[in-house]
Amino acid sequence: MDYKRILTIQDISCVGQCSLTVALPIISACGVETAILPSAVLSNHTAFSGFTFKDLTDEIPIIKDEWARQNIKFSAVYTGYLGSADQVDHVKTIMNELLEDRSIRIVDPAMADHGILYTGFDMEFVQQMKSLCQAADVILPNITEACLLTDTPYREEYDIDYITTLFERLSNICSRVVLTGVSFNPHNSGIAVYDNGDVQYYEHKKVGDGCHGTGDVYASAFVGAIMNGHSIYSAAKTAADFTLLCIENTVNHKEHWYGVRFEPVLKELIKML
Ligand code: PXL
């Protein structure tokens, strides 16, 4: 099925190549009309040495009401980094009121990586994000987020049994899960897809030690592929191939530590669709 217009809800980090400054160009390049709802405006993302932060929680219901008044609807929604725990209820309201029939709800529980929560988030936020994941059709956690959502101790090294356990627990939250950053040895990385009981792995070579912002690049490319009619697994694989190209285009640029140089590789993504 092809979806017409997507709404993506996440922050604007003015500098740093994450969230909306990644999602908007990538999904648009996939040929999809992309509406945005900023959850917050930051000078730059929170991995920099400092940042300004303007929370837009109060603005969300106001914008939602105006869209409702004009009968503006969306055929898909994709949420990423949210500015506060309170935003989750507003996002659920948008999902309930502004989506067309047979829309898809994609939630990236963007809140943590490498075993720790991003600056500013706490366990109350995790609980709220879990409830948003329960309202989704597909979720895209990394291993850290999957652990937080399921109360599972985080491990740097693990085997397939650990991933199987994570999927068992995550399946109580959402019936489709794309788990990112799954790496069973130092040379490979990949993704694991859980789709209503079926599990599929996609492994590729590992390049570098991971770049900041790859989660947002990955989720945006996944969304772009889904919007072009790909299955969950095909979209997950396409996004992995694209993200790998982006990382290859970034690792040798040490000054570019804060994000992924995805722009020159967009044309490759378009060919993959
Ligand atoms: O890429 C995830 C992300 C999104 N938005 C903001 C962030 C981060 C990760 O650190 O700080 C503001």
Side-chain angles (χ1 to χ4, degrees):
M1 155 170 194
D2 283 345
Y3 301 99
K4 290 188 295 266
R5 174 169 58 195
I6 191 164
L7 170 65
T8 182
I9 308 173
Q10 39 191 321
D11 70 281
I12 297 177
S13 284
C14 300
V15 169
Q17 284 176 308
C18 69
S19 309
L20 283 181
T21 65
V22 165
L24 189 51
I26 291 181
I27 303 170
S28 299
C30 294
V32 178
E33 180 185 343
T34 309
I36 63 165
L37 185 49
S39 57
V41 179
L42 294 82
S43 53
N44 43 265
H45 63 61
T46 61
F48 283 78
S49 61
F51 55 90
T52 68
F53 186 96
K54 175 74 179 166
D55 177 10
L56 295 179
T57 304
D58 293 345
E59 212 48 39
I60 294 177
I62 298 171
I63 292 173
K64 191 274 299 174
D65 286 347
E66 182 57 26
W67 285 340
R69 192 187 67 75
Q70 297 186 50
N71 202 26
I72 291 171
K73 298 233 167 170
F74 305 96
S75 48
V77 66
Y78 152 43
T79 71
Y81 183 105
L82 299 181
S84 71
D86 290 345
Q87 290 187 1
V88 167
D89 286 339
H90 294 317
V91 171
K92 285 188 202 161
T93 306
I94 288 173
M95 286 175 170
N96 289 334
E97 295 182 15
L98 297 187
L99 293 186
E100 289 159 350
D101 291 347
R102 304 179 65 218
S103 294
I104 183 164
R105 292 157 296 187
I106 300 166
V107 171
D108 177 358
M111 58 183 173
D113 207 358
H114 306 297
I116 46 172
L117 280 165
Y118 295 145
T119 306
F121 291 148
D122 56 16
M123 288 315 285
E124 187 213 335
F125 185 86
V126 173
Q127 283 312 312
Q128 280 291 89
M129 187 54 91
K130 182 172 171 179
S131 78
L132 186 59
C133 289
Q134 284 165 336
D137 298 302
V138 49
I139 59 173
L140 296 97
N142 58 33
I143 305 252
T144 305
E145 290 154 352
C147 288
L148 286 164
L149 290 169
T150 58
D151 269 323
T152 306
Y154 173 77
R155 282 169 39 185
E156 285 282 336
E157 288 176 19
Y158 43 79
D159 56 15
I160 205 158
D161 292 344
Y162 182 72
I163 301 300
T164 305
T165 303
L166 275 180
F167 276 145
E168 270 165 23
R169 296 179 179 175
L170 288 164
S171 67
N172 295 320
I173 298 173
C174 187
S175 62
R176 286 160 156 181
V177 182
V178 179
L179 191 58
T180 59
V182 179
S183 171
F184 295 118
N185 65 64
H187 311 292
N188 296 94
S189 187
I191 46 114
V193 179
Y194 176 94
D195 189 346
N196 290 293
D198 291 336
V199 176
Q200 276 177 290
Y201 286 86
Y202 180 61
E203 208 176 42
H204 52 73
K205 67 181 174 202
K206 190 172 186 169
V207 177
D209 291 328
C211 301
H212 200 86
T214 48
D216 297 342
V217 167
Y218 181 86
S220 302
F222 173 83
V223 164
I226 288 284
M227 300 288 285
N228 276 271
H230 286 233
S231 68
I232 300 283
Y233 181 71
S234 170
K237 187 172 169 302
T238 301
D241 290 340
F242 172 64
T243 305
L244 184 63
L245 290 177
C246 293
I247 293 169
E248 284 174 338
N249 193 47
T250 307
V251 280
N252 294 328
H253 296 260
K254 291 288 167 242
E255 77 293 349
H256 207 103
W257 61 271
Y258 52 83
V260 182
R261 289 164 25 103
F262 66 91
E263 298 87 348
V265 196
L266 277 175
K267 54 186 177 299
E268 305 303 326
L269 174 61
I270 293 165
K271 285 185 212 157
M272 293 175 199
L273 294 174

